[in-house]
Amino acid sequence: MTDVLRRGRASLALGFFAQGVAFALLVTRIPAIQDRYGVSDALLPAFLAAVPVLAGVGSVATERLVRRSAPSSVLRWSQPVVLLALLGVGAGEGMAGLAVALGAFGLAVGALDASMNMLGVSLQRSYGRSIMLGFHAAYSLGGILGASLAWVAAHGQLPLVVSYLPVVGVLLPLCLVGSRWYVDAGGAVAREGGGGGAGDGAVVLRVLLPLCLVMTFAYIGDSTVSNWSAKYLQDVLGGSEQTATVPYNVYMVTTLLGRAVGDRGVRRYGAVAVVRGGALVAAAGFAVVAGAPGAWAGMLGFTLLGLGLCVLVPQTFAAAGRLFPGASDAAVARLNVFNYAGFLIGSPLVGALGDAWSYRGAMLVPMVLILVPLVYARSFETQPDRYGGGHERPRTADVGRGSNGV
């Protein structure tokens, strides 16, 4: 049983890593995609908004799919579709081809994100200790690698298909092989027909809503960094064009470091303390960014943002699984939709406030929003179980039933 869990954990970490690479390769090459297909500046926001909207649709559809089949089945087909859609973005012809490729990417990435986090939550319950931050650390590591590969491709002026093809050629077979060891342990109660209570197979929206708000505001903060850090450092803080590329890289590295050690913090201090600490550090980061006198002080703020924001999303998924142990798959799928809501809101919100007011002032809005987890921190409490401890114990009937029948 221990070997089953270890293989399941390693294969899922590979899935998170591959998704980080793929997503970074897409978003960091947007200027090249725009040039290849002749997408105008006016039309570009519509293409970019379509991806998270369709991802939300894919996440909602996944909630229905996992009522009849295991999350591992959804993950097994959605990950190859994401990688092939990425390749389609690089190799397509005409605006219609781009629309089809991005549409497939969006739908599949919603199913992929939802099913990955479903399996992560269920594995954490089986382990009986915090491991979710480790999966998201693998995603961050993949994002750093993907962004680095994109920089090399852009520096060498490589065509999109040339830069995407080797990555897909390596990751696709690895993910297909790794999918043999996925472990389904979490949503079996809901699929087999649970009762109506929060712990017996039903998701109560009123109970889930605080976590939905935390997820939304966490992604508003994240999208603010990813979309505005370079412009802010150059235009507001007077940094050079080269220096303006540093904040996002610093943010990604500190996100990786924070997630790599975050599970230990949860085990030692508890999820509530870690979430509260993360929210306070992130708010301090936005405050430093808003008041920074120059570029280097601004980079300190983005460093704090990476350390603070990195813990919120993984712990929000984990909390949903604890609140609804009999319907964790459904809870994760619904919660995942607010990931894309935050992403859609964050960038336009900061842009509109920056144009109407000031970009320094605009940074104070996500600073306030990211303090919301302090209000709802009790939603992250570890729920007592029938063994009298703070964690769920492994359920041998579920753990022994891996996706490949082990």
Side-chain angles (χ1 to χ4, degrees):
M1 188 169 66
T2 300
D3 289 340
V4 170
L5 287 175
R6 287 175 178 170
R7 288 196 298 266
R9 185 178 180 181
S11 62
L12 185 58
L14 173 62
F16 271 88
F17 172 81
Q19 169 60 355
V21 174
F23 193 77
L25 282 172
L26 178 72
V27 298
T28 55
R29 298 303 310 274
I30 286 174
I33 294 170
Q34 187 178 7
D35 291 342
R36 171 179 170 78
Y37 290 96
V39 181
S40 67
D41 289 340
L43 191 58
L44 182 62
F47 274 90
L48 298 181
V51 174
V53 168
L54 290 171
V57 174
S59 185
V60 171
T62 300
E63 179 186 350
R64 298 181 178 275
L65 288 173
V66 297
R67 295 174 186 174
R68 298 172 176 82
S69 61
S72 62
S73 300
V74 178
L75 180 54
R76 188 174 287 112
W77 67 258
S78 60
Q79 190 133 49
V81 172
V82 166
L83 292 171
L84 292 173
L86 176 69
L87 187 59
V89 169
E93 295 293 337
M95 204 80 75
L98 175 63
V100 170
L102 286 177
F105 187 94
L107 287 170
V109 86
L112 173 61
D113 285 346
S115 56
M116 279 198 312
N117 283 289
M118 288 174 186
L119 289 182
V121 167
S122 67
L123 269 175
Q124 176 163 289
R125 290 181 61 197
S126 297
Y127 263 80
R129 56 188 173 91
S130 179
I131 60 172
M132 274 296 286
L133 280 156
F135 294 129
H136 286 260
Y139 177 90
S140 297
L141 180 62
I144 293 170
L145 176 61
S148 300
L149 292 174
W151 181 88
V152 171
H155 186 73
Q157 297 183 329
L158 298 178
L160 284 171
V161 67
V162 173
S163 62
Y164 287 167
L165 183 59
V167 177
V168 174
V170 171
L171 291 179
L172 184 58
L174 284 176
C175 290
L176 289 173
V177 172
S179 68
R180 295 177 55 205
W181 293 289
Y182 291 150
V183 174
D184 295 296
V189 173
R191 288 191 298 273
E192 292 167 4
D200 297 320
V203 176
V204 180
L205 183 58
R206 176 178 53 81
V207 178
L208 186 65
L209 184 59
L211 297 180
C212 295
L213 292 175
V214 172
M215 181 70 77
T216 301
F217 296 149
Y219 269 98
I220 287 175
D222 181 80
S223 66
T224 297
V225 177
S226 59
N227 288 290
W228 292 103
S229 58
K231 179 178 177 62
Y232 187 87
L233 205 82
Q234 186 171 353
D235 295 352
V236 178
L237 300 183
S240 65
E241 184 177 355
Q242 291 75 22
T243 306
T245 64
V246 175
Y248 186 69
N249 289 331
V250 168
Y251 172 76
M252 289 296 294
V253 170
T254 52
T255 295
L256 171 63
L257 294 175
R259 287 173 171 173
V261 301
D263 282 320
R264 294 183 181 180
V266 174
R267 295 168 200 162
R268 182 168 182 177
Y269 302 108
V272 173
V274 169
V275 167
R276 283 176 172 163
L280 289 172
V281 171
F286 275 117
V288 171
V289 168
W296 290 104
M299 287 185 204
L300 172 61
F302 288 112
T303 300
L304 292 173
L305 280 170
L307 292 173
L309 289 174
C310 70
V311 301
L312 297 181
V313 172
Q315 285 307 303
T316 305
F317 280 122
R322 288 194 296 269
L323 285 173
F324 302 98
S328 61
D329 291 347
V332 168
R334 295 184 193 183
L335 186 61
N336 190 54
V337 174
F338 290 86
N339 157 358
Y340 310 117
F343 191 83
L344 279 172
I345 294 170
S347 181
L349 176 66
V350 171
L353 290 172
D355 291 339
W357 181 21
S358 74
Y359 282 98
R360 287 187 183 272
M363 291 294 167
L364 298 177
V365 175
M367 181 194 77
V368 173
L369 294 178
I370 209 62
L371 291 173
V372 168
L374 298 179
V375 179
Y376 296 118
R378 289 297 176 187
S379 297
F380 293 84
E381 282 186 325
T382 303
Q383 303 299 304
D385 60 26
R386 66 183 178 213
Y387 298 97
H391 301 282
E392 293 267 347
R393 300 289 185 87
R395 298 184 297 169
T396 57
D398 289 337
V399 176
R401 185 174 56 202
S403 63
N404 62 337
V406 294

